[in-house]
């Protein structure tokens, strides 16, 4: 990490009085402090007011939270069990779509989608969104999808994916999005652990120069998921007949032909086949035949809204559950305050829907607030590194939100690539996913924002549902590289990992925790409540454990120093070293494997693996390549090691624990500062590994 800079950036002071840059809801730091103090001192009153102001409730809630938030010292229950807005009934989709149409904003653009090719754009108004979502909801109902049932969505960045998310919410089904870059095994595990009957997917993923056929991936997953009854495929390619759909029919033993099949098999796009009890539909026809209105199912505040899998410190991904009332209140409030949204703004969060940022800040937050939200199907470097800036100029984007890894990648191409474009509409620039270095921050601020935009470095995670720490644009004086201060209702706590006590002085490092419940906390892990408690609430009693370390400076600003567990962050993607190790081990050719994250200029971290081949495999040609491919097949290409070293043994302590600290040093070529190696069982292993790394270093 670059040295924390202690100067507050006071540029905001000069722009807060400018009507264009002033925050519409908060005047200055005093108003922030006043509101923050209220949210902490009397959370009951604060959240009651917010929930009533922000959402339309079908039935009012009776109690704000199961923990009494009017008690300033209240903490998180030991079992992590919280409930918000109990007794209240509402529908997420109604709040995100219907009420804007009812309020006369039906003609406003809700979704602005740009496809992989520059300028290929679809605009979906709230009115149209209501119709499309209703059709999807009706189509799900016709497959007798019930309230509480999990529906798995494995789709690209297209409006149809949003129809599916909202359509599920409309009828009370629980959406389970699987990032479309995941492999068939990752998809299969997520289908299996949620026992999904329905899979909504597409035939192709268009991302930059890569056009990825999804059907072979889906087919492999379905082969091991006999519980899936329906597979609905959106045709995202220009081919009129998705070839692979028909191939699937050949490969899965075809039993009988349903009536649906005979209706649709002649149609150009229909890949409708029936094997066992699995039925394929063409997405457009599937929704197209339905009525354009579907009544909303009124949900209890604590009914689940979605489940989203994320990596943890063990090999098994965790399906985090988020519920309705609290999640929506927090998504709406954070989006409103932290992005300073105005009625006619164009807001662009450039992330995939398969991650939590896509859920909260592409879909739910902006749509609840009636904001025009952009969806971007391509990558920042396609067809050239000006893609983002062309996007901002073309759609007159006011608020732009991306990840530090993208900023670092674009910085490389220089300022001239940015200055060709008119970016004068921008007011707020957000970043998320990993710490942003002061130099990347400065570049974003000066080159992209021309020194006129606030940088919102937002710190949070899948489990928190929404942003925990960030500056309020136009209000909080910023510090490059710091995610600044807590949002309303968030009471951060830095804990001493050795004593478990809360650290109260400033200028210290500790474990980042949260000590009070907040509305959008995850409510559990799919099928494993024990692991939920054990991961987040047991490490530090009565606190939520984020997994990160942080530094609190003398001004009370937070600086996130990174993960404390075996989770690594590669280009903003959260990956588990244990999961990659499990994949390498399952290849069957190695006796021992260890995976570590090493610093990388653009990606933040890159993946480095050390594998000990079994006797007889040491000299197998291509073993390195095979192992990497195996990771790609079993997890995803983003999880493939950048470097994979075949070594004779791993450095272990006498009790058999792999000394990752040493591997990290060696992988970084820091051979001279290995530190204390006296606990090592076999010291000569180190020299052997060093010689392999020296020989192979720099190559895959
Ligand atoms: C982990 C969560 C929810 C955002 C997308 C990632 C890291 C996230 C920041 C930030 C420093 C950050 C943390 C966190 N992280 N934002 N602004 N500064 N680190 O969600 O995949 O659940 O990953 O991302 O390490 O624990 P996620």
């Amino acid at each position: 990490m670059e040295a924390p800079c202690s100067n507050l950036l006071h540029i905001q002071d000069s722009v807060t009085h400018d009507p264009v840059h002033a925050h519409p809801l908060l005047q200055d730091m005093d108003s922030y402090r006043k509101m923050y103090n209220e949210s902490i001192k009397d959370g009951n009153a604060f959240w009651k007011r917010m929930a009533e102001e922000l959402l339309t409730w079908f039935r009012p809630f009776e109690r704000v939270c199961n923990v009494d938030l009017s008690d300033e010292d209240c903490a998180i229950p030991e079992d992590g069990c919280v409930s918000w807005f109990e007794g209240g009934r509402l529908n997420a989709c109604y709040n995100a779509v219907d009420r804007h149409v009812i309020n006369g904003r039906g003609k406003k653009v809700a979704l602005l989608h740009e496809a992989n090719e520059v300028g290929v754009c679809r605009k979906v108004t709230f009115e149209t969104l209501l119709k499309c979502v209703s059709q999807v909801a009706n189509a799900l109902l016709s497959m007798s999808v019930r309230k509480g049932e999990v529906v798995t969505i494995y789709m690209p960045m297209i409006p149809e994916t949003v129809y599916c998310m909202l359509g599920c919410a409309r009828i009370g089904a629980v959406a389970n999005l699987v990032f479309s870059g995941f492999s068939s095994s990752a998809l299969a595990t997520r289908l299996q652990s949620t026992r999904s009957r329905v899979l909504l997917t597409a035939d192709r993923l268009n991302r930059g120069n890569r056009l990825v056929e999804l059907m072979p991936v889906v087919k492999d997953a379905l082969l091991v998921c006999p519980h899936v009854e329906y597979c609905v495929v959106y045709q995202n390619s220009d081919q009129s007949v998705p070839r692979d759909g028909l191939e699937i029919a050949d490969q899965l033993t075809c039993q009988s032909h349903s009536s649906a099949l005979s209706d649709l098999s002649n149609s150009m796009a229909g890949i409708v086949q029936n094997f066992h009890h699995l039925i394929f539909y063409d997405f457009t026809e599937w929704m197209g035949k339905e009525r354009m209105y579907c009544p909303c199912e009124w949900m209890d505040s604590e009914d689940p809204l979605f489940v989203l899998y994320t990596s943890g410190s063990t090999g098994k991904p965790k399906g985090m559950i988020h519920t309705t009332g609290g999640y929506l209140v927090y998504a709406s409030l954070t989006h409103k305050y932290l992005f300073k949204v105005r009625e006619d703004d164009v807001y662009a969060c450039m992330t995939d829907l398969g991650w939590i940022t896509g859920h909260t800040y592409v879909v739910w937050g902006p749509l609840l607030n009636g904001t025009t939200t952009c969806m971007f199907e391509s990558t920042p470097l396609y067809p050239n590194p000006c893609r983002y800036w062309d996007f901002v100029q073309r759609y007159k984007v006011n608020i732009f939100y991306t990840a530090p890894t993208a900023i670092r990648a674009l910085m490389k191409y220089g300022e001239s690539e940015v200055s060709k474009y008119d970016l004068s509409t921008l007011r707020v620039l957000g970043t998320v996913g990993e710490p942003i270095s002061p130099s990347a921050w400065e570049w974003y601020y000066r080159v992209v924002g021309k020194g006129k935009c606030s940088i919102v470095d937002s710190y949070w995670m899948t489990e928190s549902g929404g942003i925990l720490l960030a500056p309020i644009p136009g209000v909080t004086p910023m510090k490059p590289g710091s995610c600044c201060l807590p949002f309303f209702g968030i009471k951060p706590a830095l804990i001493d990992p050795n004593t478990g006590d809360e650290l109260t002085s400033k200028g210290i490092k500790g474990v980042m925790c949260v000590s009070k419940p907040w509305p959008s906390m995850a409510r559990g892990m799919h099928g494993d409540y024990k692991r939920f408690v054990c991961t987040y609430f047991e490490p530090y009693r009565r606190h939520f454990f984020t997994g990160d370390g942080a530094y609190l400076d003398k001004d009370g600003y937070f600086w996130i120093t990174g993960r404390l567990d075996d989770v690594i962050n590669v280009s903003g993607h959260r990956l588990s070293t244990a999961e990659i190790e499990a994949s390498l081990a399952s290849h069957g050719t190695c006796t021992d494997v260890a995976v570590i994250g090493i610093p990388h200029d653009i990606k933040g971290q890159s993946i480095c693996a050390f594998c000990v081949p079994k006797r007889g495999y040491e000299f197998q040609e291509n073993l390195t390549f095979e192992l990497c491919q195996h990771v790609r097949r079993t997890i995803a290409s983003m999880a493939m090691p950048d470097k994979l070293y075949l070594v004779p043994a791993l450095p272990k302590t006498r009790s058999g624990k792999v000394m990752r600290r040493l591997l990290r040093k060696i992988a970084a070529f820091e051979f001279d500062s290995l530190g204390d190696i006296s606990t090592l069982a076999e010291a000569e292993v180190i020299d052997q590994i060093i010689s392999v790394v020296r020989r192979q270093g720099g190559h895959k």
Side-chain angles (χ1 to χ4, degrees):
M1 200 173 96
E2 289 168 47
C5 145
S6 55
N7 310 329
L8 288 174
L9 222 81
H10 277 291
I11 296 145
Q12 290 311 301
D13 291 351
S14 55
V15 296
T16 34
H17 303 295
D18 169 353
V20 177
H21 288 279
H23 199 289
L25 301 162
L26 276 185
Q27 263 190 323
D28 50 22
M29 274 309 271
D30 283 343
S31 4
Y32 159 76
R33 276 191 212 100
K34 195 164 153 251
M35 201 156 152
Y36 178 74
N37 287 340
E38 187 208 341
S39 75
I40 296 296
K41 289 206 166 79
D42 190 1
N44 281 345
F46 179 85
W47 287 115
K48 177 172 190 293
R49 200 172 76 236
M50 292 305 146
E52 286 170 357
E53 262 175 42
L54 295 165
L55 300 183
T56 305
W57 297 81
F58 173 65
R59 195 172 78 195
F61 50 89
E62 285 149 16
R63 183 164 79 161
V64 171
C65 184
N66 62 334
V67 172
D68 181 8
L69 303 173
S70 61
D71 170 7
E72 205 191 331
D73 299 322
C74 71
I76 294 178
E78 301 217 349
D79 62 357
C81 181
V82 298
S83 65
W84 283 80
F85 311 117
E86 256 176 85
R89 305 201 102 193
L90 75 168
N91 182 280
C93 182
Y94 179 89
N95 276 278
V97 186
D98 299 44
R99 60 178 179 152
H100 306 308
V101 176
I102 294 166
N103 292 338
R105 290 196 284 181
K107 301 270 183 271
K108 180 173 174 176
V109 174
L111 304 176
L112 195 161
H113 168 261
E114 182 164 276
N116 195 36
E117 299 309 322
V118 182
V120 176
C121 171
R122 274 203 278 167
K123 292 181 180 169
V124 182
T125 61
F126 278 100
E127 208 169 74
T128 308
L129 185 58
L130 177 57
K131 289 181 188 157
C132 295
V133 167
S134 286
Q135 287 187 305
V136 168
N138 281 325
L140 288 169
L141 286 174
S142 70
M143 303 190 306
S144 40
V145 171
R146 268 171 249 286
K147 183 169 164 175
E149 177 175 337
V150 178
V151 171
T152 297
I153 303 171
Y154 181 66
M155 291 179 68
M157 277 301 285
I158 51 174
E160 284 70 19
T161 312
V162 178
Y163 305 163
C164 295
M165 292 167 77
L166 296 170
C168 284
R170 198 164 184 90
I171 61 166
V174 181
N176 170 33
L177 267 93
V178 179
F179 174 58
S180 50
F182 274 122
S183 67
S184 55
S185 341
L187 171 61
T189 331
R190 286 153 177 78
L191 284 165
Q192 284 162 351
S193 47
T194 54
R195 306 268 333 145
S196 296
R197 278 197 313 128
V198 177
L199 170 64
L200 308 175
T201 187
D203 65 341
R204 201 168 77 177
L205 189 67
N206 307 313
R207 259 178 79 76
N209 293 316
R210 286 177 53 225
L211 305 178
V212 186
E213 299 295 339
L214 291 181
M215 280 300 102
V217 183
V218 168
K219 177 202 75 189
D220 284 346
L222 290 177
L223 283 168
V224 293
C225 295
H227 46 86
V228 176
E229 293 170 26
Y230 297 97
C231 177
V232 186
V233 184
Y234 179 77
Q235 192 196 313
N236 199 34
S237 61
D238 31 23
Q239 271 90 4
S240 48
V241 180
R243 311 114 288 159
D244 294 312
L246 297 168
E247 245 171 57
I248 292 181
D250 297 340
Q251 294 186 19
L252 293 160
T253 41
C254 187
Q255 285 198 335
S256 65
H257 288 241
S258 70
S259 57
L261 173 67
S262 50
D263 287 352
L264 288 159
S265 58
N266 294 331
S267 80
M268 288 289 280
I271 45 167
V272 183
Q273 298 285 341
N274 184 358
F275 8 74
H276 302 290
H277 30 260
L278 177 60
I279 299 176
F280 279 83
Y281 285 121
D282 170 80
F283 192 98
T284 311
E285 292 173 23
W286 171 73
M287 69 175 267
K289 65 183 190 316
E290 298 293 337
R291 282 188 52 215
M292 293 198 190
Y293 182 76
C294 171
C296 293
E297 182 79 38
W298 296 104
M299 307 299 286
D300 286 329
S301 178
E302 280 297 339
D303 279 335
L305 178 61
F306 63 87
V307 52
L308 185 61
Y309 280 81
T310 187
S311 299
S313 39
T314 72
K316 217 173 127 205
K318 314 178 277 195
M320 305 310 305
I321 297 167
H322 283 285
T323 58
T324 312
Y327 172 80
L328 296 177
V329 169
Y330 200 76
S332 165
L333 188 70
T334 46
H335 177 260
K336 204 174 211 134
Y337 276 84
L338 293 173
F339 297 109
K340 212 164 68 165
V341 198
R342 292 159 207 265
E343 180 60 34
D344 295 320
D345 278 349
V346 175
Y347 161 90
C349 171
M350 311 305 263
T351 191
D352 196 278
L353 295 172
W355 310 118
I356 189 71
T357 313
H359 282 62
T360 311
Y361 298 112
V362 176
V363 177
W364 294 111
L367 292 181
L368 288 168
N369 295 334
T371 305
T372 299
T373 181
C374 297
M375 299 179 70
F376 179 53
E377 199 177 339
S378 194
T379 81
L381 299 177
Y382 179 78
N384 57 50
C386 300
R387 187 65 188 272
Y388 271 179
W389 322 129
D390 173 83
F391 190 101
V392 170
Q393 172 179 287
R394 189 181 294 270
Y395 303 113
K396 302 191 169 38
V397 173
N398 306 103
I399 301 144
F400 186 79
Y401 192 20
T402 188
T405 184
I407 300 168
R408 289 191 300 266
L410 296 172
M411 271 169 79
K412 255 193 7 202
Y413 296 92
E415 295 183 20
S416 56
E417 297 300 308
V418 188
S419 52
K420 290 184 210 156
Y421 294 85
D422 176 7
L423 308 182
S424 61
T425 48
L426 289 173
R427 285 199 331 265
V428 179
L429 299 173
T431 100
V432 63
E434 49 179 321
I436 179 165
S437 65
S439 54
W441 193 103
E442 296 278 1
W443 190 84
Y444 201 25
Y445 181 73
R446 192 174 45 78
V447 179
V448 180
K450 318 284 181 236
K452 288 188 187 135
C453 301
S454 306
I455 304 289
V456 178
D457 176 358
S458 58
Y459 166 73
W460 59 300
M461 61 226 54
T462 308
E463 296 83 344
S464 71
I467 296 167
L468 296 173
L469 305 174
I472 297 197
V475 174
T476 313
M478 307 174 286
K479 291 193 191 194
S482 163
C483 55
C484 301
L485 302 173
F487 190 71
F488 305 131
I490 301 302
K491 195 169 174 211
L494 269 194
I495 294 194
D496 180 336
N498 301 316
T499 62
D501 295 334
E502 193 168 333
L503 297 162
T504 43
S505 49
K506 292 192 174 152
I508 37 152
K509 271 189 183 166
V511 178
M512 187 77 218
C513 292
V514 182
S515 66
K516 261 180 204 291
W518 69 100
S520 64
M521 287 172 73
R523 300 294 196 266
M525 232 182 250
H526 199 271
D528 201 347
Y529 198 82
K530 236 177 102 188
R531 186 175 171 207
F532 177 64
V533 177
C534 155
T535 312
Y536 303 105
F537 305 102
E538 262 168 22
Y540 302 101
R541 237 186 111 251
R542 316 217 61 185
H543 284 83
F544 167 83
F545 169 52
T546 59
D548 292 297
Y551 169 76
L552 180 67
D553 74 12
K554 61 177 180 16
D555 298 313
Y557 275 47
F558 286 91
W559 302 74
I560 303 300
T561 52
R563 298 290 304 195
L564 300 168
D565 52 12
D566 296 328
V567 169
I568 53 175
N569 198 321
V570 181
S571 301
H573 297 312
R574 175 165 161 181
L575 296 164
S576 147
T577 51
E579 194 180 350
I580 303 169
E581 285 169 1
S583 159
L584 289 167
S586 73
H587 192 243
T589 50
C590 299
T591 52
D592 237 343
V593 298
V595 170
I596 54 167
I598 53 175
H600 186 279
D601 284 353
I602 307 269
K603 298 175 170 186
Q605 282 184 299
S606 72
I607 305 168
C608 176
F610 292 86
C611 301
V612 184
K614 282 186 186 161
R615 286 273 281 281
Y617 287 103
E618 303 97 314
F619 306 108
Q620 186 188 316
E621 226 185 302
N622 278 341
L623 183 58
T624 311
F625 177 78
E626 288 296 325
L627 283 163
C628 289
Q629 290 302 314
H630 185 69
V631 174
R632 191 171 68 93
R633 276 193 304 272
T634 51
I635 308 177
S637 46
M638 66 199 172
M640 276 208 301
D642 294 289
K643 292 221 172 82
L644 192 149
Y645 298 113
L646 299 178
V647 293
L650 295 180
K652 288 190 180 173
T653 60
R654 285 183 198 100
S655 60
K657 214 170 166 279
V658 176
M659 295 180 74
R660 288 158 190 286
R661 178 178 64 79
L662 294 179
L663 291 177
R664 272 187 215 109
K665 288 270 180 192
I666 296 174
F669 281 70
E670 292 168 14
F671 309 130
D672 300 332
S673 56
L674 297 181
D676 180 17
I677 54 167
S678 61
T679 52
L680 204 62
E682 298 169 75
E684 65 279 9
V685 171
I686 290 294
D687 290 334
Q688 294 168 339
I689 300 177
I690 289 179
S691 82
V692 173
V693 171
R694 276 223 163 96
R695 240 190 357 257
Q696 272 185 41
H699 304 288
K700 229 182 197 180

